[in-house]
Amino acid sequence: MSGLSGRDPSLLRRINSTVVLRALRGPATPTALTLTELVHASGLSRPTVEGVVEDLIAAGLVAEAEDDPDQPRGTARRGRPARRFRFRAEAGHLLGLEIGPHRVAAVLSDLTGRILGSLTREIAETAPADVRLEKCRATLGELLRRTGTARDTLRAVGVGTPGIVEADGTVHLGTALPGWTGLALGERLRRSFSCPVLVENDANAAALAEHWKGAARGVDDVVMVLAGLSPGAGSLIGGRLHRGFGGAAGEIGALHLLGREATPERLLSTTDEPLHPLDEAAVARVFAQAKRGDDQARRAMDRFLARLVHDVAALVLALDPELLVVGGWASGLDGVLDPLRAELARYCLRPPRVALSRLGETAVATGALRVALDRAENELFTLDEGEGAL
Amino acid sequence: MSGLSGRDPSLLRRINSTVVLRALRGPATPTALTLTELVHASGLSRPTVEGVVEDLIAAGLVAEAEDDPDQPRGTARRGRPARRFRFRAEAGHLLGLEIGPHRVAAVLSDLTGRILGSLTREIAETAPADVRLEKCRATLGELLRRTGTARDTLRAVGVGTPGIVEADGTVHLGTALPGWTGLALGERLRRSFSCPVLVENDANAAALAEHWKGAARGVDDVVMVLAGLSPGAGSLIGGRLHRGFGGAAGEIGALHLLGREATPERLLSTTDEPLHPLDEAAVARVFAQAKRGDDQARRAMDRFLARLVHDVAALVLALDPELLVVGGWASGLDGVLDPLRAELARYCLRPPRVALSRLGETAVATGALRVALDRAENELFTLDEGEGAL
């Protein structure tokens, strides 16, 4: 690290802290390390490591590890074993929020992303923005209380919600929720927290979630479709979210209108009355009827499927992903996979694998948590480009 | 550069050469520099620069610049002016080839991408692969002769052709040209050259070309549509080509089939007979008739436009580019821009800017040249990641 000696000393201290924290976090799971091991892992001198560890303990980010008799150390030692240090994952918390048409959901984790609790509350689709935000605040407040988490230990809050979301968290356009277009959602939520609040489109959040701990684990070129009556999609390209130039990538809701075909309201209707596009309960009933063999429901399913294939094929042809994940509803979608695969094979020169969401209804909140966790990890474990690579 | 002293000496020499060449290339256009200026620009010692320049002169990549009386030096000097050195752009050549359904085209440049000549030859759409390849060889051979270019000065050859192209240049799937699917195009062409041959999808090549010197200059999020009766598209995301997981991104040719609508052959037909999908001359006639006010031709245009809007909207909704470039035909397309803009505004939450291709029929060959130039620039001016950043 001699090349850094001429730099700003506070920057040097920050670099050294980051190096030590990274070593304690390990490549996959946090490990407890001795000072000697930390010197080896960090490439820093022993006095530097001692100083950094002391500072990190004072900051609450590192603690001395208790001995774990189940995991004996590799090298046998006489006398008192060397002190070992661990990353304090409990030193801070992350919150993921879903604000959807029918529910708000909150999920809480420690600094390694381990889930500590979650809570979901239903809300009327017609609820105005203020009521929806208040329900959201009450839900997350209750989750913090139940898990005994102090609000000021939150390091970042992620939010997943329908619509085109600008970088500052303002909803540029969101037709699924009343009063959502133009809402300064990020700014409104920031009043409740002293930490950063990051807002992401719901389908984008779901894509991140499936990549993190769902059907797309280990797959870096993914399209995730939230198959609603007004579907949206999120895409990862090379493992990174593709938001598009104006944040509107994957907003395929209007695509079917191009064919001047049936409106979404009529697609899944089994009567002469249009079905409300966001009435998931009614949709689930149609799915169930179709499964029992009801003719009218089957025809409705076929229409729905044709629409889904159409929307999905457009995304697949444009992006050529390795994997397509279908989610957004709790149940019934498994019946859609095989027909979807068959149709994609007809229209795509190179059809992707097709998988059902593993996270189901929790995908959006989990993805919002991942957004918050990314922010915290960036602060703890990453140096800005301007600070020089290690 | 003291930190590099412990490395492999041949690597060190290569790094120093690259640094000096980069300085001579300049950020935009090549400049002639004195040794003193090179020492300053490269950060290397004067003896090192002297040695490197000597080596580069011996390799033919650098020459002493002749004095340019129109551009007097900034600092007035007495006596003999300092020697200045320049990058020899003429030290090597790049070739871009288009192999399309109706023509083969070749374009030649020097090492800075300056175009030295081009040549286009028509070919029957029904020509078998061997005949098409032979026509291609004859065309590029004639271009080399006409420009007095020795074949062994070629540093890379780029090729743009319809179909899904694998990394080694094999056409995985290409229905537009007879015998194209499965053709080891890269391997076949490599027999004619001692330099690397790189094969790229034609729409991808056209996207690179418009970004390099066409309608998309300075725009990094671009979708380029080759609007044929069987359209294809190429996309740049963050300035880089998005090929997709299997190289099939943008292969939207089958998208319209999803609506079970008219087949492409019937879309632009003004009679009961289907129009051949690749008969551009016939298509141009229909465009011209529509412009003169012929009713049947207008209806055909409307059908064509509906199809184009449909295909393009899918790409735009999936990717949300800043700019959409429409090209692929020599003439007539300007009439589709305004209706296309109006339709996109209806269906896209955030419609992109729409522009006509500036390169027209030369886009694919120009993009193929850019692919070859990228390869040469990588070799001359870039160090592999494994060699360490500068």
Side-chain angles (χ1 to χ4, degrees):
Chain A
M1 302 295 284
S2 58
L4 298 170
S5 53
R7 300 200 193 187
D8 168 14
S10 72
L11 169 60
L12 189 58
R13 208 175 302 132
R14 182 161 142 59
I15 292 173
N16 292 341
S17 285
T18 304
V19 170
V20 167
L21 272 184
R22 268 197 202 166
L24 288 174
R25 183 186 55 163
T29 48
T31 341
L33 298 176
T34 63
L35 279 178
T36 307
E37 287 165 338
L38 274 173
V39 166
H40 184 77
S42 66
L44 301 172
S45 72
R46 191 171 183 101
T48 301
V49 169
E50 282 173 349
V52 166
V53 166
E54 211 166 283
D55 288 351
L56 288 170
I57 289 174
L61 286 169
V62 164
E64 194 165 341
E66 285 147 38
D67 267 330
D68 181 353
D70 291 343
Q71 296 198 334
R73 311 290 298 158
T75 42
R77 284 173 181 277
R78 288 162 189 277
R80 204 162 61 88
R83 291 164 73 197
R84 287 183 299 122
F85 300 92
R86 65 172 182 87
F87 174 58
R88 284 191 70 233
E90 69 276 27
H93 297 95
L94 291 319
L95 192 62
L97 300 175
E98 175 186 8
I99 310 182
H102 294 117
R103 63 170 180 254
V104 295
V107 55
L108 183 81
S109 83
D110 68 14
L111 286 179
T112 61
R114 197 169 59 94
I115 309 288
L116 304 174
S118 64
L119 197 61
T120 302
R121 290 279 176 263
E122 298 203 345
I123 187 165
E125 195 190 315
T126 52
D130 283 344
V131 176
R132 203 173 296 273
L133 282 176
E134 191 43 48
K135 175 71 91 176
C136 180
R137 281 191 206 97
T139 306
L140 72 91
E142 194 179 336
L143 177 61
L144 293 177
R145 269 196 306 283
R146 284 193 189 182
T147 55
T149 307
R151 189 174 288 248
D152 62 6
T153 64
L154 290 174
R155 292 211 153 221
V157 175
V159 184
T161 199
I164 300 180
V165 181
E166 289 170 14
D168 70 349
T170 300
V171 181
H172 178 69
L173 190 63
T175 54
L177 305 185
W180 226 237
T181 296
L183 184 72
L185 182 59
E187 193 190 310
R188 293 284 294 273
L189 288 170
R190 264 171 221 122
R191 294 177 200 162
S192 308
F193 303 100
S194 54
C195 65
V197 175
L198 307 147
V199 186
E200 186 56 82
N201 167 269
D202 56 353
N204 286 354
L208 289 173
E210 295 290 340
H211 186 247
W212 181 26
K213 41 172 77 184
R217 225 186 294 195
V219 181
D220 281 350
D221 293 284
V222 187
V223 169
M224 162 97 205
V225 176
L226 288 185
L229 279 169
S230 180
S235 306
L236 300 183
I237 297 175
R240 296 186 57 185
L241 205 52
H242 175 66
R243 291 191 179 84
F245 179 71
E251 292 291 326
I252 52 174
L255 198 54
H256 66 284
L257 297 176
L258 289 164
R260 278 78 171 166
E261 287 152 17
T263 60
E265 290 80 355
R266 296 202 173 272
L267 272 176
L268 269 175
S269 170
T270 53
T271 67
D272 285 341
E273 287 300 296
L275 205 66
H276 196 288
L278 288 167
D279 188 347
E280 291 184 16
V283 170
R285 273 195 301 278
V286 177
F287 275 43
Q289 283 165 9
K291 219 168 185 172
R292 283 196 303 271
D294 180 275
D295 262 2
Q296 239 173 351
R298 276 197 171 169
R299 281 195 296 275
M301 266 292 277
D302 284 348
R303 287 195 300 270
F304 172 79
L305 187 67
R307 161 81 191 284
L308 181 65
V309 167
H310 186 275
D311 291 341
V312 161
L315 285 167
V316 166
L317 292 172
L319 289 169
D320 185 22
E322 179 178 359
L323 174 70
L324 174 73
V325 181
V326 183
W329 272 327
S331 62
L333 278 175
D334 49 334
V336 166
L337 290 201
D338 275 338
L340 186 58
R341 284 190 191 103
E343 291 287 287
L344 285 178
R346 287 179 62 194
Y347 298 115
C348 301
L349 295 184
R350 205 206 58 78
R353 285 197 290 125
V354 179
L356 196 65
S357 157
R358 282 218 196 120
L359 298 171
E361 283 186 311
T362 67
V364 177
T366 303
L369 178 67
R370 181 67 250 182
V371 170
L373 188 58
D374 282 346
R375 172 63 171 252
E377 290 191 342
N378 258 339
E379 281 179 4
L380 289 171
F381 304 118
T382 314
L383 291 165
D384 292 342
E385 280 178 36
E387 298 178 324
L390 286 172
Chain B
M1 301 293 285
S2 59
L4 297 170
S5 54
R7 301 200 191 185
D8 169 15
S10 71
L11 169 61
L12 189 57
R13 208 175 303 133
R14 183 161 142 59
I15 292 173
N16 292 341
S17 287
T18 304
V19 170
V20 168
L21 272 184
R22 266 197 203 166
L24 289 175
R25 184 186 55 163
T29 49
T31 341
L33 298 177
T34 64
L35 279 178
T36 306
E37 287 166 338
L38 274 173
V39 166
H40 184 75
S42 65
L44 301 171
S45 73
R46 190 170 183 101
T48 301
V49 169
E50 283 173 349
V52 166
V53 166
E54 211 166 284
D55 289 351
L56 287 170
I57 289 175
L61 287 168
V62 163
E64 195 166 339
E66 285 147 39
D67 266 330
D68 181 353
D70 293 343
Q71 297 197 335
R73 310 292 298 157
T75 42
R77 283 169 181 281
R78 291 163 186 275
R80 202 165 62 90
R83 294 163 72 199
R84 288 183 300 122
F85 300 92
R86 65 172 182 87
F87 174 56
R88 284 191 70 233
E90 68 275 27
H93 297 94
L94 290 320
L95 193 63
L97 300 174
E98 175 186 8
I99 310 181
H102 295 116
R103 63 170 180 254
V104 296
V107 55
L108 183 81
S109 83
D110 68 13
L111 286 180
T112 61
R114 196 168 60 93
I115 308 290
L116 304 174
S118 63
L119 198 61
T120 301
R121 288 281 176 262
E122 297 204 347
I123 187 165
E125 196 191 314
T126 51
D130 282 344
V131 176
R132 202 173 296 273
L133 281 176
E134 191 43 47
K135 175 71 90 177
C136 180
R137 280 191 207 96
T139 307
L140 72 91
E142 195 181 336
L143 178 61
L144 293 178
R145 267 195 309 282
R146 284 192 189 181
T147 55
T149 307
R151 188 174 290 250
D152 61 7
T153 65
L154 289 174
R155 291 208 155 225
V157 175
V159 184
T161 199
I164 301 180
V165 181
E166 290 170 14
D168 70 349
T170 300
V171 181
H172 178 70
L173 190 63
T175 53
L177 305 185
W180 226 238
T181 296
L183 183 72
L185 181 58
E187 193 190 309
R188 292 286 292 276
L189 288 170
R190 264 170 222 122
R191 293 175 200 162
S192 307
F193 303 100
S194 54
C195 65
V197 175
L198 307 148
V199 186
E200 187 56 82
N201 167 271
D202 56 354
N204 287 352
L208 289 173
E210 295 289 342
H211 186 246
W212 181 25
K213 40 173 79 185
R217 225 186 295 194
V219 181
D220 282 349
D221 293 284
V222 187
V223 168
M224 162 96 204
V225 176
L226 288 185
L229 280 168
S230 180
S235 306
L236 300 183
I237 297 175
R240 296 186 57 185
L241 205 52
H242 174 67
R243 291 192 179 82
F245 179 71
E251 290 292 328
I252 52 175
L255 199 54
H256 66 285
L257 296 176
L258 289 164
R260 277 81 173 166
E261 288 150 18
T263 60
E265 289 81 354
R266 296 201 173 272
L267 272 176
L268 269 175
S269 171
T270 52
T271 66
D272 284 344
E273 286 301 294
L275 205 67
H276 196 289
L278 289 168
D279 188 347
E280 291 184 17
V283 169
R285 272 196 300 277
V286 176
F287 275 42
Q289 284 166 8
K291 220 169 185 170
R292 285 197 303 271
D294 181 274
D295 262 3
Q296 239 173 351
R298 276 199 172 168
R299 280 195 296 276
M301 266 292 276
D302 285 348
R303 288 194 299 272
F304 172 78
L305 189 67
R307 161 79 192 284
L308 181 65
V309 167
H310 187 275
D311 292 342
V312 161
L315 284 167
V316 166
L317 292 172
L319 288 168
D320 185 24
E322 179 179 359
L323 174 70
L324 174 73
V325 181
V326 183
W329 273 327
S331 63
L333 277 175
D334 49 336
V336 307
L337 288 201
D338 275 338
L340 187 57
R341 285 190 189 104
E343 290 287 286
L344 285 178
R346 287 180 62 195
Y347 299 116
C348 300
L349 295 184
R350 203 207 60 78
R353 284 197 289 123
V354 178
L356 197 65
S357 158
R358 281 217 197 122
L359 299 170
E361 282 186 310
T362 68
V364 176
T366 304
L369 178 68
R370 181 67 251 184
V371 169
L373 188 58
D374 281 345
R375 173 62 170 254
E377 290 192 341
N378 258 339
E379 280 178 5
L380 288 172
F381 304 117
T382 315
L383 291 164
D384 292 343
E385 279 178 38
E387 297 177 326
L390 285 171

